[in-house]
Amino acid sequence: YELQIGGGGANWKLIKRNNNTVVLASGTLSYTAGSWIKLKLTMNGSSISAWQSTNGTSFTQLGSTVTDTTFTSGKIGVRANGQTASFDDVLVEPL
């Protein structure tokens, strides 16, 4: 699963990458280029939710919670695709 921001404007996508790419949810995201934005992806059983925050304290859910059972375990990663980005304080914790 991947939470992707950017790509032709202030957009976000929650996608599943398996043998092909499936968009599970998408929408618009208000953020200022060059400013920090905090993103959170929560997974509880088959429920997946994406969140964003500008202050790190209060998070706003992006779209609705989706359900998918393709992956039940795995690893995490962060990346920038064709853009300059900085990542700080990556945290993985059980629910």
Side-chain angles (χ1 to χ4, degrees), residues 20-54:
N20 55 13
T21 300
V22 176
V23 176
L24 300 174
S26 64
T28 58
L29 173 66
S30 178
Y31 67 95
T32 303
S35 297
W36 286 100
I37 182 171
K38 295 177 181 2
L39 301 171
K40 178 168 61 170
L41 191 60
T42 60
M43 306 173 84
N44 189 0
S46 62
S47 298
I48 308 166
S49 301
W51 306 79
Q52 69 93 20
S53 173
T54 54

Side-chain angles (χ1 to χ4, degrees), residues 8-20:
N11 301 308
W12 66 271
K13 292 180 185 177
L14 176 57
I15 61 178
K16 172 177 64 172
R17 291 192 185 271
N18 202 357
N19 293 327
N20 55 13

Side-chain angles (χ1 to χ4, degrees), residues 22-91:
V22 176
V23 176
L24 300 174
S26 64
T28 58
L29 173 66
S30 178
Y31 67 95
T32 303
S35 297
W36 286 100
I37 182 171
K38 295 177 181 2
L39 301 171
K40 178 168 61 170
L41 191 60
T42 60
M43 306 173 84
N44 189 0
S46 62
S47 298
I48 308 166
S49 301
W51 306 79
Q52 69 93 20
S53 173
T54 54
N55 63 19
T57 304
S58 58
F59 282 80
T60 303
Q61 186 170 359
L62 300 172
S64 300
T65 300
V66 299
T67 302
D68 192 87
T69 58
T70 304
F71 306 112
T72 58
S73 64
K75 298 178 181 181
I76 67 122
V78 294
R79 73 178 185 136
N81 186 17
Q83 300 294 322
T84 300
S86 298
F87 302 98
D88 191 15
D89 297 336
V90 176
L91 174 67

